[in-house]
Amino acid sequence: MKFYDVEKLRRDFPILSREVNGKPLIYLDNAASTQTPRAVVEDIEHIYYTTKANVHRGVHCLSQEATAAMEASRERVRAFLGADSIDEIIFTRGTTEGINLVASSYGELLSEGDEIILTVMEHHSNIVPWQLLQKRKGIVIKVVPINQLGELDLEVYESLFTDRTRLVSVTQVSNVLGTVNPVKEMADIAHKHGAVICVDGAQGVAHMKVDVKAIGADFYAFSSHKMYGPTGVGVLYGRRELLNAMPPYQGGGEMIGHVSFQGTTWAELPFKFEAGTPDYVGAATLAKAIDYMESVGIENIAAHEHELLEYATSQMASIPGLRIFGTAPGKAAVISFLIGDAHHYDTGILLDQLGIAVRTGHHCAQPLMEFLGIEGTVRAAFAMYNTTEEIDKFVAALKRVAAMLT
Ligand code: 7TS
């Protein structure tokens, strides 16, 4: 069944018709970064050619137009996430900066001996900021394990709460296993114990409809480059009461009310958390990426990717010695695998020779690799523009690689 005309849609992504090593590109590294459609690139060009000026500062026309474009995008993001107010939408450099902001600023409200809960499947950007806080404040970090399928053990999760638990930070979708975590249920449990929950949406927003209030997220961070948007920009959603209670993250222009050597006051939300000149072209054009995704339909994208996942998984089963890591029901369209004893890096290099882009290595999830007892995997991650023909070529290439390396 067709959810949309994928061949027509591919024409919106000129990069997909280039060659790599003399072969047509098959781009399966979408969990790292997705490609960007013409409508977004043209919007970036348009702003650079007509409207480039620093935001929130000038009385002149260009500055006002640039500000209006960025603020219109903030409203677009608010509606996309189902947030109550644009005050709750902070532009960042990406998911990493969003989580660092929460760890640093919300973390400032925590005391020695306070506890937070992470999971073993987190990306380093949802581990290391908390470890920095641990060093600074002496907080305790607890970790939820996974089962054979790559699902979180919710019984263990709930058992980790004590009267010192202040925060849970969990990825919505694993970038390695594809597991879609039950964040709503986890949020309910966290709230029952008086803790807040921060959701890493880096692998969520491009693949499922997100409503921050429906899932009970107190914080939600994502990156534009993983959802067909420009690079260098992302968003942190935070509940207004929490953001208001938090100290600023960075100091500088834009985030102040009044500065004097006797004492400085902070700007209102969201500007309190946006020190310095932002990537205003990126922020402004993120709205176009959301428009593009919604014009295809997020449910349609999810259904298309699910079909690709099922097809690829069944085809890959015919490759002797191929092991897939992450087999949770309802998983997202990410397949991490190894072929026999072949090194993930060698597999990746050979696939690249055949024009196929995959990610290899630990995927910034070394604790998960340790848990699985492996060093790394090869990862294929599908997006709205991938096709079953590409999967046929990918599987044929894997058979060649398997014959060479095993
Ligand atoms: N969280 C998750 C779950 C991620 O997958 C990533 C990036 C990040 C956070 C960090 O996002 P950034 O935009 O701030 O860098 N993940 C990957 C990946 O899987 N391959 O390359 C980047």
Side-chain angles (χ1 to χ4, degrees):
M1 172 166 166
K2 272 189 149 193
F3 304 99
Y4 47 85
D5 185 344
V6 65
E7 288 304 331
K8 179 160 170 279
L9 178 139
R10 285 173 70 84
R11 294 200 284 275
D12 293 337
F13 295 83
I15 200 169
L16 297 179
S17 41
R18 70 162 280 184
E19 294 195 340
V20 167
N21 293 320
K23 305 281 191 316
L25 167 68
I26 296 180
Y27 187 77
L28 302 179
D29 194 19
N30 294 290
S33 270
T34 46
Q35 299 301 341
T36 300
R38 206 184 289 272
V40 176
V41 178
E42 285 174 356
D43 198 35
I44 295 169
E45 184 187 46
H46 177 74
I47 294 186
Y48 271 104
Y49 285 161
T50 62
T51 322
K52 185 171 183 243
N54 210 323
V55 287
H56 301 131
R57 291 163 200 224
V59 292
H60 62 82
C61 175
L62 291 192
S63 174
Q64 289 185 14
E65 285 180 13
T67 305
M70 178 169 152
E71 292 310 310
S73 186
R74 199 189 302 273
E75 165 54 26
R76 187 75 184 84
V77 173
R78 182 205 64 73
F80 176 64
L81 294 179
D84 280 338
S85 161
I86 53 168
D87 292 355
E88 303 181 309
I89 306 299
I90 298 160
F91 285 116
T92 63
R93 284 194 298 117
T95 310
T96 302
E97 188 175 50
I99 297 171
N100 272 279
L101 191 162
V102 179
S104 169
S105 179
Y106 191 79
E108 201 48 46
L109 308 176
L110 303 187
S111 315
E112 187 174 349
D114 279 348
E115 298 171 3
I116 69 160
I117 298 176
L118 307 178
T119 86
V120 75
M121 68 169 79
E122 299 310 315
H123 186 277
H124 295 165
S125 65
N126 196 23
I127 298 174
V128 184
W130 304 108
Q131 292 177 324
L132 295 174
L133 179 67
Q134 184 178 40
K135 280 216 160 67
R136 210 170 78 235
K137 286 272 181 175
I139 61 157
V140 176
I141 297 176
K142 295 184 170 178
V143 182
V144 187
I146 51 173
N147 64 19
Q148 288 293 316
L149 303 177
E151 298 167 309
L152 293 175
D153 186 327
L154 284 198
E155 267 178 37
V156 174
Y157 169 64
E158 184 145 25
S159 75
L160 296 178
F161 284 85
T162 72
D163 59 0
R164 294 301 301 269
T165 310
R166 298 286 176 260
L167 175 140
V168 173
S169 195
V170 60
T171 192
Q172 189 172 26
V173 177
S174 162
N175 67 323
V176 176
L177 307 166
T179 311
V180 179
N181 289 322
V183 286
K184 163 86 179 101
E185 209 178 326
M186 294 177 78
D188 289 345
I189 293 171
H191 294 151
K192 192 174 83 186
H193 291 273
V196 299
I197 186 164
C198 173
V199 179
D200 172 348
Q203 301 292 345
V205 272
H207 309 285
M208 60 187 66
K209 176 81 196 105
V210 173
D211 181 324
V212 286
K213 283 169 66 192
I215 61 175
D218 297 295
F219 298 102
Y220 187 92
F222 68 89
S223 302
S224 154
H225 69 96
K226 291 189 199 287
M227 50 171 291
Y228 311 100
T231 62
V233 67
V235 168
L236 175 71
Y237 157 82
R239 272 204 299 119
R240 192 207 308 251
E241 311 84 274
L242 297 174
L243 293 175
N244 268 329
M246 287 155 56
Y249 170 51
Q250 292 179 328
E254 200 71 16
M255 53 71 69
I256 50 93
H258 178 78
V259 178
S260 97
F261 284 109
Q262 280 68 53
T264 290
T265 57
W266 317 136
E268 296 297 317
L269 292 176
F271 306 111
K272 177 171 121 180
F273 291 104
E274 291 183 358
T277 300
D279 178 356
Y280 50 86
V281 178
T285 53
L286 171 55
K288 272 282 185 296
I290 296 175
D291 289 347
Y292 188 84
M293 281 195 344
E294 290 194 342
S295 74
V296 181
I298 293 179
E299 282 79 8
N300 291 331
I301 296 170
H304 175 75
E305 290 175 352
H306 183 72
E307 210 171 74
L308 294 177
L309 174 70
E310 299 266 285
Y311 183 63
T313 307
S314 68
Q315 296 300 302
M316 286 165 75
S318 67
I319 298 168
L322 188 137
R323 280 180 297 160
I324 291 177
F325 299 89
T327 50
K331 70 179 266 193
V334 174
I335 304 181
S336 281
F337 63 95
L338 288 171
I339 311 175
D341 293 332
H343 197 277
H344 49 83
Y345 182 77
D346 296 337
T347 307
I349 294 280
L350 288 173
L351 288 173
D352 184 55
Q353 290 303 312
L354 300 169
I356 300 172
V358 292
R359 173 88 194 262
T360 65
H362 54 63
H363 314 294
C364 298
Q366 282 179 336
L368 176 60
M369 294 300 131
E370 197 181 317
F371 190 88
L372 297 171
I374 54 178
E375 239 184 66
T377 71
V378 185
R379 182 186 70 187
F382 308 124
M384 63 161 93
Y385 39 65
N386 290 122
T387 64
T388 46
E389 293 73 31
E390 287 182 312
I391 288 172
D392 288 336
K393 289 185 187 160
F394 169 58
V395 173
L398 285 180
K399 287 184 176 154
R400 281 179 66 182
V401 169
M404 286 168 79
L405 295 179
T406 59

